[in-house]
Every structure is written in C-alpha cells, then in structure tokens.
Amino acid sequence: PQDQSTDYRRPNVANTISLFFHDMPNADYHASPAISKSGLDKIARSPAHYQAAKSAPPESTDAMVFGSAFHDYILLPGVFQAAYTVLPDDFNGRTKDGKALMAAIKESGQTVLKPEWVENIKGMAAAVAAHPKAAALLTGGHPEVSIFWQDADTGIDCRCRPDYIHSTGIIVDLKSTP
C-alpha cells in the first residue's frame, strides 16, 4: 500500500492494490464513483434501489445528526468545531432574532445541535475516555482513513472508510445509540 495525498476526487486505482488517504473530506469520499459496502447492500436489493439512493440521498434524521456529531466529537474534533453550532438554551425560532440566527447558521453550512445533545455527547466521550480498552484503541492511529482499491476478480473500484485504524491494524467502528 502507498500513502498518497494528491488528487483523491477520482482516484485511478486500476494499477494499484490500495490507496490510503488521511484527511480526505467526507464529501469527497462520498463523491467517489467507487462502490462501498452500503452501495453493495443497495445493489443486492436491486439496481433501482442503488440508483435511487445515489440520485436522492435520504434526509438526515435527528438520530443520524446526533450520531455524526458524536463521531466527529470523538474522532475529528476540528471538524466538530467547524461543522456544528449549538443553539442557546433560550433560543426561540419564532422571533426576529431567532429567525436571523437560523438563517445565518443555514448560510454557514453548519449543522444545528440541541444543547442537551451536546451534553450527552460530552458525557459519552468522557465514558469512552474513561474506559481503558476503548481509550487505548482510539489512541495511536488514524481516524477516517479513506481506502480505495480495485477488486481483482471483477475490476470494480471499491472504497471503505473505517472510523479508526489503530497502529496495530485493529479497525475500530464507533457507534452511538439514542
């Protein structure tokens, strides 16, 4: 495997076993035409399901937003700081000031988090940090490594993005439940 940090938007993996990209933006990873496990799951249901998902991704639910925020808080704190904003406790979206705040947040591209979500996320992060094995697995490796390869049997370009790869090679999948 080789580490490459050049143009990762449409990697040419035809002559390469694997490409590993550190710090690839999530949007760029998902824009790649290479197939992922979730894409294979949709194709297994039917090619029409796969095409529908590619053309119109599902709306984010509160659980999805919470899970992504928790994930970013633990693994990508810089992304968390840039991508999310927390509404003040006294926020009222029906007032002139509230509407202006929501418009500004929307224009910035940030995702809104409820204050109680952030408190829960911080508590969950503290629990992970206090757990000796979990904390050890999330230290000394790399978060969100984007991996691309070409399947030797089919010639199809594939991709995966493990949450965390420990220096020992252990792959960590960080999950949350509402």
Side-chain angles (χ1 to χ4, degrees):
Q2 64 184 7
D3 192 353
Q4 188 172 350
S5 59
T6 56
D7 185 16
Y8 46 70
R9 289 175 188 17
R10 293 192 62 119
N12 177 4
V13 296
N15 299 316
T16 306
I17 295 173
S18 296
L19 298 174
F20 296 81
F21 297 104
H22 301 273
D23 301 321
M24 175 187 273
N26 196 38
D28 290 344
Y29 169 79
H30 286 288
S32 167
I35 192 78
S36 66
K37 162 71 166 78
S38 60
L40 290 172
D41 289 343
K42 288 174 181 67
I43 287 174
R45 188 167 179 198
S46 81
H49 283 89
Y50 174 76
Q51 287 300 327
K54 290 291 280 183
S55 64
E59 295 268 334
S60 292
T61 65
D62 281 354
M64 291 167 69
V65 171
F66 180 89
S68 293
F70 170 68
H71 178 275
D72 291 344
Y73 188 87
I74 296 280
L75 300 174
L76 303 167
V79 169
F80 180 85
Q81 290 296 322
Y84 300 95
T85 192
V86 183
L87 293 176
D89 288 327
D90 62 349
F91 176 77
N92 182 344
R94 293 174 285 184
T95 66
K96 181 179 177 183
D97 288 343
K99 289 176 183 177
L101 177 60
M102 287 306 289
I105 293 169
K106 185 176 182 179
E107 185 175 315
S108 76
Q110 290 186 316
T111 300
V112 173
L113 298 178
K114 298 175 185 175
E116 60 270 19
W117 290 0
V118 176
E119 290 308 312
N120 288 339
I121 288 168
K122 288 179 179 179
M124 292 164 60
V128 170
H131 190 281
K133 290 183 181 179
L137 284 173
L138 293 172
T139 305
H142 298 281
E144 296 296 325
V145 177
S146 298
I147 305 170
F148 295 86
W149 71 98
Q150 187 175 71
D151 181 74
D153 294 332
T154 64
I156 295 173
D157 292 340
C158 303
R159 64 185 162 109
C160 70
R161 189 173 166 112
D163 288 343
Y164 196 86
I165 301 177
H166 191 267
S167 60
T168 60
I170 294 172
I171 294 175
V172 179
D173 189 20
L174 185 65
K175 295 291 182 202
S176 65
T177 58

